[in-house]
């Protein structure tokens, strides 16, 4: 929903801030007052083509800002997010455009710089314009299928087709992948067999290169390490150290015995010191023997079998040579071995696998065709209902000679897509005997706007579908009386639960508005300025009376205005 529009220095507008309500808002005013300026400014904010002529004379820059309440539409919010702008349902979505006098423009979404293309895409998703010079939305036939599907409530059938399309795509990809793999394997069978034979003979293991490199380094260092351990054992003295410590222990024990025979008290400090010395020597003797044993054990650990280093190096060289030949790291050799075996298996068993995949793809294709047929049937039924509804709207809008139809055409190349197997186009014939053609074949801008109104009135039957903001520019051109009344009634009905803005010269249309803006032009300090007044009920009746009677407002016109408003 559009909630506000701010305009600065555009054509005859210097400063204008408008609050926009829901429902039907009508814009009226004398011819030339500047009603189109309001729409031009809104179009600028929505990404329309910028023309330096929009900048007010004497101003350096013009700007237009449109503020929307973001709708609860996941697809729209996702589209906005994909373009780099975050907005949540119910939050403000601000589209702004500036334009300098030399024609340079800048675009912003929620005050973040944006490309004009992104601004235009977001704007077109929020607002539809139907008027004298352009009709945005319905003229793009690519939107017709979605409009028909929404009208018919065909979301369940669409979901079924989309799911079937995903399954078919996956099944066909599986067939293609199997055939491509089998073809590639067959083209290199001899090479594959030789490579597999080489790897089978080599029998590479995971992490083997790391283990061999570590072992080679260890074996290369073993000789020096053994020499170092030999020096360590020699420094410990070997058996001589043990004998010396044993002799020292015996000597201390003899000293203790002599002191004891001399009658010394066992608690005498001399005997205690001799005992402590004996214990220390005994511990040293034990630890010396343990140290020698540990050094010997370490030396034994380096006692590798002869030729082990050569074998490790030969194995490492063989692995690296195979890796170079296959242009792959050594650690991938086990994986390549499995891959080569699988590719050869595909050659041998691939035909059977391809046949099975083809059967699965055929089943998926049949399932898709059933789902697509159900969707097509539902679309045809919805098209009949829509045709009846549109034709019912054309007569009251003075388009009684026009005929409408929904045309179906097969997708190019018989493509099976996620949205079905046909394109949908809305077509019209404007006169008896004329051929059907696209909607823009309607020559008159007023007729085109009224036809858009008829289409929208017919399509708006489903309340669960989000309607964009709709703008109709002089949809009542060239009509009056009952036709103008019909236009106003349909605009009002279309605005229920939504938002419609209409520029009108018809009192019958203006009387149906929920809000009424009067656009007027006045001279201030030698400058012509366009302003917009939001009319209250009294001013609204007076404006409709003016539209009925002209420059002089009569009591009869005021009474007629009251009758129109009801």
């Amino acid at each position: 929903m559009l909630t506000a529009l701010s305009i600065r220095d555009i054509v005859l507008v210097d400063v204008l801030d408008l609050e926009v309500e829901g429902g039907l808002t009508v814009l009226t005013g004398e011819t030339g007052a500047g009603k189109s300026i309001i729409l031009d400014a809104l179009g600028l904010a929505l990404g329309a083509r910028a023309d330096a002529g929009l900048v007010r004379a004497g101003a350096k820059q013009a700007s237009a800002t449109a503020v929307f309440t973001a709708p609860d539409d996941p697809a729209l919010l996702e589209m906005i997010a994909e373009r780099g702008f975050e907005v949540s349902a119910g939050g403000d979505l601000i589209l702004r455009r500036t334009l300098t006098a030399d024609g340079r423009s800048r675009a912003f979404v929620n005050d973040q710089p944006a490309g004009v293309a992104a601004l235009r895409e977001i704007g077109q998703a929020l607002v539809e314009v139907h008027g004298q010079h352009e009709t945005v939305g319905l003229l793009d036939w690519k939107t017709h299928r979605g409009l028909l599907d929404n009208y018919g409530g065909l979301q369940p059938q669409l979901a079924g087709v989309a799911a079937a399309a995903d399954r078919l795509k996956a099944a066909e990809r599986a067939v293609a992948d199997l055939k491509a793999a089998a073809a590639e394997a067959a083209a290199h069978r001899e090479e594959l067999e030789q490579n597999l034979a080489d790897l089978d003979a080599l029998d590479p293991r995971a992490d083997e290169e790391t283990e061999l490199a570590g072992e080679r380094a260890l074996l290369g260092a073993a000789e020096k390490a053994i020499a170092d351990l030999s020096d360590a054992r020699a420094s410990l003295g070997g058996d001589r150290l043990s004998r010396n410590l044993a002799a020292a222990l015996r000597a201390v024990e003899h000293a203790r015995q002599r002191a004891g025979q001399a009658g010394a008290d066992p608690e005498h400090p001399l005997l205690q010191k001799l005992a402590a010395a004996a214990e220390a020597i005994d511990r040293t003797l034990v630890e010396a023997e343990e140290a020698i044993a540990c050094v010997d054990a370490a030396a034994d650990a380096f006692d590798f079998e002869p030729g082990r280093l050569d074998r490790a190096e030969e194995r490492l060289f063989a692995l690296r040579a195979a890796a170079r030949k296959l242009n792959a790291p050594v650690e991938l050799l086990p994986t390549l071995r499995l891959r080569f075996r699988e590719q050869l298996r595909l050659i041998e068993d691939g035909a059977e696998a391809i046949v099975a995949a083809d059967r699965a793809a055929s089943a998926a294709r049949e399932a898709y065709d059933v789902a697509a047929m159900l969707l097509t049937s539902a679309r045809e039924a919805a098209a009949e209902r829509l045709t009846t509804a549109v034709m019912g709207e054309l007569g009251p809008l003075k388009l009684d000679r026009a005929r409408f139809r929904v045309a179906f055409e097969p997708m190019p190349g018989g493509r099976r897509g996620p949205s079905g197997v046909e394109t949908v186009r809305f077509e019209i014939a404007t006169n008896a005997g004329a051929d059907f053609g696209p909607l823009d074949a309607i020559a008159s801008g007023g007729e085109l706007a009224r036809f858009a109104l008829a289409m929208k009135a017919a399509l708006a039957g489903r309340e669960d579908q989000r309607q964009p903001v709709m703008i109709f520019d002089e949809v009542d051109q060239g009509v009056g009386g009952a036709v103008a009344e019909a236009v106003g009634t349909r605009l009002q009905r279309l605005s229920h639960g939504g938002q419609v803005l209409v520029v009108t010269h018809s009192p019958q249309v203006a009387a149906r508005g929920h809000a009424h803006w009067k656009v007027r032009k006045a001279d201030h300090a030698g400058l012509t300025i366009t302003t917009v007044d939001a009319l209250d009920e009294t001013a609204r009746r007076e404006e409709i009376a003016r539209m009925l009677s002209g420059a002089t407002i009569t009591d009869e016109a005021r009474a007629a205005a009251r009758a129109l408003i009801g």
Side-chain angles (χ1 to χ4, degrees):
M1 175 175 169
L2 177 66
T3 60
L5 177 64
S6 295
I7 305 172
R8 299 290 184 272
D9 293 319
I10 293 182
V11 192
L12 300 180
V13 174
D14 56 352
V15 176
L16 185 60
D17 294 304
L18 298 172
E19 293 184 2
V20 192
E21 302 176 6
L24 176 61
T25 298
V26 298
L27 286 80
T28 64
E30 298 284 357
T31 300
K35 297 184 292 298
S36 63
I37 298 173
I38 310 301
L39 299 188
D40 289 341
L42 179 58
L44 184 67
L46 299 175
R49 182 177 178 274
D51 184 344
L54 291 174
V55 181
R56 188 168 64 90
K60 294 181 179 179
Q61 176 177 284
S63 70
T65 303
V67 182
F68 295 84
T69 299
D72 186 9
D73 184 339
L76 173 60
L77 297 178
E78 182 179 359
M79 183 270 283
I80 295 173
E82 287 174 351
R83 282 146 186 79
F85 309 104
E86 293 298 327
V87 63
S88 56
D92 283 344
L93 177 56
I94 305 171
L95 307 184
R96 181 163 63 93
R97 186 95 169 275
T98 63
L99 176 63
T100 61
D102 60 3
R104 291 180 292 112
S105 75
R106 298 180 64 194
F108 302 86
V109 175
N110 281 358
D111 292 326
Q112 299 180 52
V116 175
L119 187 73
R120 185 182 304 113
E121 287 177 317
I122 296 172
Q124 289 178 350
L126 294 169
V127 178
E128 285 188 3
V129 180
H130 307 283
Q132 295 295 304
H133 306 295
E134 63 174 336
T135 291
V136 176
L138 285 176
L139 294 189
D140 184 1
W141 68 268
K142 297 182 183 66
T143 67
H144 295 176
R145 186 168 61 188
L147 290 171
L148 178 64
D149 290 343
N150 286 338
Y151 174 79
L154 307 185
Q155 283 70 29
Q157 293 92 330
L158 274 171
V161 169
D166 286 342
R167 290 190 292 270
L168 175 58
K169 185 177 180 180
E172 290 178 339
R173 186 188 302 115
V175 172
D177 289 346
L178 282 172
K179 288 182 177 179
E184 182 180 0
H188 302 90
R189 178 167 187 162
E190 184 176 343
E191 180 183 358
L192 284 171
E193 290 174 340
Q194 183 59 54
N195 287 338
L196 180 60
D198 292 343
L199 288 178
D200 283 342
L202 187 61
D203 191 22
R205 303 186 307 276
D207 299 323
E208 187 176 7
E209 182 185 27
T210 301
E211 295 173 1
L212 286 171
E215 183 178 1
R216 183 177 68 167
L218 180 62
L219 291 172
E223 182 177 351
K224 190 173 186 311
I226 290 173
D228 291 337
L229 291 173
S230 178
D231 292 343
R233 200 179 194 289
S235 297
L236 288 173
D239 294 339
R240 181 165 50 82
L241 175 60
S242 298
R243 289 195 300 271
N244 290 342
L245 289 171
L249 180 59
R250 287 194 299 273
V252 172
E253 289 293 344
H254 289 159
R256 286 178 59 192
Q257 291 174 5
R258 289 191 179 93
Q261 290 171 358
D265 184 353
E267 298 299 325
H268 192 280
L270 177 60
L271 287 177
Q272 289 181 354
K273 292 182 181 297
L274 288 171
E279 290 176 1
I281 294 172
D282 186 51
R283 287 197 305 273
T284 301
L285 177 60
V286 171
E287 290 178 356
E289 291 175 346
E290 289 180 356
I292 292 170
C294 287
V295 171
D296 290 342
D300 290 341
F302 280 99
D303 187 16
F304 298 111
E305 58 184 292
R308 183 170 174 180
L309 176 60
D310 292 340
R311 290 195 297 275
E313 288 185 335
E314 289 175 2
R315 176 67 177 174
L316 187 59
F317 295 156
L319 289 171
R320 290 177 175 172
R324 283 194 302 272
K325 178 183 176 183
L326 297 173
N327 194 28
V330 171
E331 60 265 24
L332 285 185
L333 291 179
T335 302
L336 287 175
R337 183 184 183 186
L338 295 175
R339 186 181 302 169
F340 294 156
R341 185 175 290 122
E342 178 65 16
Q343 288 175 321
L344 286 169
R345 188 195 65 77
L346 280 175
I347 296 175
E348 298 168 358
D349 303 333
E352 183 178 345
I354 291 172
V355 168
D358 272 329
R359 284 198 297 267
S362 295
R365 199 171 294 112
E366 291 175 3
Y368 176 91
D369 289 343
V370 170
M373 180 183 65
L374 294 174
L375 176 59
T376 298
S377 297
R379 278 177 174 156
E380 290 172 347
E384 290 182 7
R385 297 195 302 273
L386 179 60
T387 299
T388 300
V390 173
M391 292 298 294
E393 298 286 345
L394 294 179
L397 295 176
K398 202 179 177 181
L399 295 169
D400 44 301
R401 290 187 174 186
R403 290 170 296 139
F404 170 79
R405 75 176 184 184
V406 180
F408 294 88
E409 294 180 6
M411 293 286 284
R415 185 168 63 88
R416 295 173 171 87
S419 298
V421 295
E422 63 268 325
T423 62
V424 175
R425 295 175 187 258
F426 298 156
E427 296 182 343
I428 190 167
T430 54
N431 295 294
D435 293 333
F436 280 93
L439 302 185
D440 56 2
I442 302 175
S444 164
E447 287 183 343
L448 180 57
R450 291 203 305 281
F451 181 78
L453 176 59
M455 284 291 304
K456 284 298 179 181
L459 289 166
R462 290 184 55 83
E463 296 179 355
D464 58 337
Q465 300 299 329
R466 179 185 75 83
Q467 292 290 340
V469 178
M470 283 175 280
I471 298 174
F472 289 86
D473 183 11
E474 299 192 11
V475 65
D476 50 5
Q477 183 196 41
V479 300
V483 177
E485 176 69 22
V487 169
T489 300
R490 281 155 180 78
L491 286 169
Q492 187 182 62
R493 190 173 73 219
L494 191 59
S495 71
H496 290 162
Q499 192 175 39
V500 176
L501 281 73
V502 57
V503 174
T504 180
H505 288 289
S506 168
Q508 291 91 342
V509 173
R512 293 290 175 265
H514 302 108
H516 193 144
W517 294 348
K518 181 177 180 180
V519 183
R520 57 189 178 85
K521 186 167 59 174
D523 292 333
H524 295 281
L527 296 175
T528 301
I529 300 297
T530 290
T531 61
V532 177
D533 296 323
L535 305 184
D536 59 18
E537 284 301 314
T538 300
R540 180 186 179 206
R541 285 195 299 270
E542 196 72 3
E543 170 65 4
I544 294 175
R546 180 197 65 78
M547 298 171 72
L548 285 165
S549 65
T552 302
I553 303 175
T554 64
D555 290 339
E556 291 80 1
R558 291 186 177 95
R562 284 193 296 271
L564 279 178
I565 295 172

